[in-house]
Amino acid sequence: MSIDTATGKEAPADLSSERVKGIFSTIAKKYERFNAVSSFGAYRAWLAGMMHQAPIGEDADVLDIAGGTGDVTFATARVKRPRHIQCTDLVPEMLDVARAHYADGAAGEVSVDFEVVDAQDIPYPDASYDVVTMAYGIRNMPDRPRALAEMRRVLKPGGALVCLEFSTPPNRAWRALYHFYLKHLIPFWGGLITGDREGFVYLARSIKAFPDQQGLANLMEEAGFTNVSWKNYTGGIAAVHVARKPEER
């Protein structure tokens, strides 16, 4: 079932996909600045936590889904130094920024390729990758079960999905403060930095409508992943989930 990612209610897939393309194609060149300002730099700690949890070896082939401007791809290259990273995103303009960073040496000596890919229909063969990484991506996908099933399909048996996403603070007071921040300050910062306030109204709504930590773990398990675990960051504002594709018997 496809949903409207702003509300979580059933809706045609094109509604959310086209909206996401429109928003991110417009803000691509200012997206990194928005991340830094709106999170008060906390996104760097979240990304470091993701790298700490990611089981990526130097001989690994990595697929980065919703790779955007390359934050996860280049962090993986710097910290893990895998054999190869395939950086993908739905929005060409985001990948253009990532390619520019790559040309400037952001990946060091790690080989990276870039391709526009809809994660709900991944164009790679079964069992192609050791690890799939994804940050702030699954929330914007209208058919999340299909996307997760595709990620599982392209993983090798025993491979891991590592997912960083906004989540739900378990503490009630912290959660209320966070929801106030989402409703009022995210659109403010987004409008100030990118000029697209309404795009960030959508982003704030999509975060609030997204399943909590256990809900995302359930979606992963329903897609066939096992050994699903997560770790909270900044009181649960963000969480990193790690899930495994079962070994073949």
Side-chain angles (χ1 to χ4, degrees), residues 26-49:
T26 301
I27 68 173
K29 292 182 179 179
K30 300 178 180 178
Y31 178 73
E32 292 167 319
R33 184 182 174 200
F34 167 77
N35 271 354
V37 172
S38 65
S39 72
F40 301 98
Y43 82 104
R44 297 185 184 279
W46 304 342
L47 188 57

Side-chain angles (χ1 to χ4, degrees), residues 112-186:
V112 180
D113 288 303
F114 302 88
E115 187 171 6
V116 175
V117 168
D118 182 346
Q120 298 160 130
D121 189 17
I122 298 174
Y124 306 132
D126 296 358
S128 300
Y129 294 94
D130 300 285
V131 177
V132 171
T133 57
M134 176 173 53
Y136 320 120
I138 191 68
R139 174 174 43 84
N140 291 315
M141 296 175 192
D143 193 342
R144 293 163 184 163
R146 179 177 173 183
L148 289 168
E150 279 288 273
M151 294 174 214
R152 181 184 179 278
R153 178 184 64 78
V154 299
L155 275 171
K156 298 174 184 178
L161 167 63
V162 185
C163 174
L164 166 62
E165 188 55 86
F166 292 109
S167 201
T168 304
N171 179 275
R172 183 178 298 178
W174 185 233
R175 184 167 65 248
L177 184 63
Y178 176 51
H179 286 169
F180 177 88
Y181 174 77
L182 287 177
K183 183 176 180 179
H184 298 285
L185 294 183
I186 286 292

Side-chain angles (χ1 to χ4, degrees), residues 16-65:
S16 293
S17 295
E18 292 305 314
R19 181 172 51 205
V20 166
K21 288 179 186 177
I23 292 170
F24 285 98
S25 64
T26 301
I27 68 173
K29 292 182 179 179
K30 300 178 180 178
Y31 178 73
E32 292 167 319
R33 184 182 174 200
F34 167 77
N35 271 354
V37 172
S38 65
S39 72
F40 301 98
Y43 82 104
R44 297 185 184 279
W46 304 342
L47 188 57
M50 184 183 189
M51 291 299 102
H52 179 72
Q53 292 179 245
I56 300 173
E58 292 187 354
D59 61 345
D61 288 311
V62 179
L63 172 61
D64 188 16
I65 293 289

Side-chain angles (χ1 to χ4, degrees), residues 38-112:
S38 65
S39 72
F40 301 98
Y43 82 104
R44 297 185 184 279
W46 304 342
L47 188 57
M50 184 183 189
M51 291 299 102
H52 179 72
Q53 292 179 245
I56 300 173
E58 292 187 354
D59 61 345
D61 288 311
V62 179
L63 172 61
D64 188 16
I65 293 289
T69 59
D71 271 354
V72 174
T73 287
F74 301 131
T76 301
R78 290 192 304 269
V79 177
K80 300 293 187 175
R81 299 179 182 177
R83 175 168 51 197
H84 176 260
I85 304 171
Q86 186 75 20
C87 179
T88 68
D89 198 88
L90 182 66
V91 182
E93 291 82 356
M94 296 287 276
L95 287 181
D96 287 344
V97 177
R99 288 189 183 97
H101 291 324
Y102 184 60
D104 288 339
E109 297 181 357
V110 175
S111 173
V112 180

